[in-house]
Structure formats: C-alpha cells, structure tokens
Amino acid sequence: MVVQTELSEAEVDRVFHALATSTRRDILRRTIEREQSVSTLATEYEMSFAAVQKHVAVLEAANLIVKRAEGRERLVRANPEMIARARALLARYEELWRSRIARLDDLLAETPRSRPADSTGTANPPQGD
C-alpha cells in the first residue's frame, strides 16, 4: 500500500479552513484523545447540536476526522493519516522558513565593507563638520 504524503491544493485549503476555527480545533483535539459521539461533543459547547454537526462536517470534509455509525449514534475519531500529512506540510514550510532565516543571518553576519585605508594602512575616519 502506498501512502500519499503530498496534499493537493484543494486538500490544503480544506485543512487550513477546518483548522481556522477554535471550536473545530477543539473538536479535533477531543477526538484525538478518544472516539466520541457527535451528541457527546455537542454537550461540550454553548451552541446547538446542528451547529456542532456543521463543524464536524467541515472536519470530515477535510478528512481530519472519520465518522462512523454505531446504532443510532454517529461516532467521530481523528484521522491520524491526514493529521500526519498536514504535519508533514507544516514541516516543509518550517524548513523553508528556517533556511530563509539562516540565509538572512549569514547575510547579516558578513563584515561590512571597510573604508579605504590611507597610506599608513589605517582606515580613514569619517570627515566631521
């Protein structure tokens, strides 16, 4: 089985959209800890059951959570594969940013160009008023 690691642009958009709301991040955190029913999740928030269902639907569309039926309940758990793929994407961004910062550090560490030396070999001081 080949595990796809690269996220498509559409997947990246869905993941970042899903994680843009604190409620959805909290739902994801709770479902990482353990599988929960949507109704149990809904009791944790000061919003309607329907509103929690919509948040769950956004997370499911981003493939960050997986929902399954058990009797009349809908159980939700985090999808570790997609979380790992999102983490890999963020690691690539971090690597890019760190390399750019390192290049900037190198540029700033270069010695400034010195003033031309006079005939004695010492640098000419700046001319004052």
Side-chain angles (χ1 to χ4, degrees):
M1 179 173 121
V2 176
V3 177
Q4 181 184 1
T5 56
E6 288 289 322
L7 294 172
S8 70
E9 287 298 316
E11 288 173 315
V12 171
D13 289 346
R14 283 192 297 271
V15 166
F16 281 115
H17 171 71
L19 297 175
T21 302
S22 63
T23 301
R24 291 194 287 265
R25 290 190 303 271
D26 190 60
I27 290 170
L28 183 61
R29 181 190 58 78
R30 290 173 189 274
T31 60
I32 286 171
E33 293 172 1
R34 71 178 191 282
E35 186 175 56
Q36 297 187 44
S37 70
V38 176
S39 55
T40 299
L41 285 169
T43 63
E44 300 295 326
Y45 304 100
E46 293 185 16
M47 62 181 72
S48 69
F49 178 80
V52 173
Q53 279 183 309
K54 288 180 181 179
H55 284 298
V56 167
V58 171
L59 289 164
E60 187 178 25
N63 205 18
L64 289 166
I65 61 169
V66 176
K67 188 167 41 170
R68 69 178 180 88
E70 186 174 286
R72 292 179 31 193
E73 288 193 306
R74 299 296 174 256
L75 299 176
V76 178
R77 66 176 166 79
N79 180 355
E81 181 185 324
M82 182 55 91
I83 293 169
R85 291 173 68 197
R87 174 185 269 170
L89 171 69
L90 292 173
R92 286 192 303 277
Y93 285 144
E94 181 181 7
E95 184 180 317
L96 173 70
W97 295 328
R98 287 186 184 276
S99 70
R100 288 182 178 178
I101 289 170
R103 286 194 316 246
L104 182 59
D105 285 345
D106 291 344
L107 182 66
L108 293 173
E110 288 180 7
T111 56
R113 294 184 183 177
S114 59
R115 291 196 166 86
D118 63 13
S119 61
T120 64
T122 60
N124 288 325
Q127 301 296 318
D129 291 295

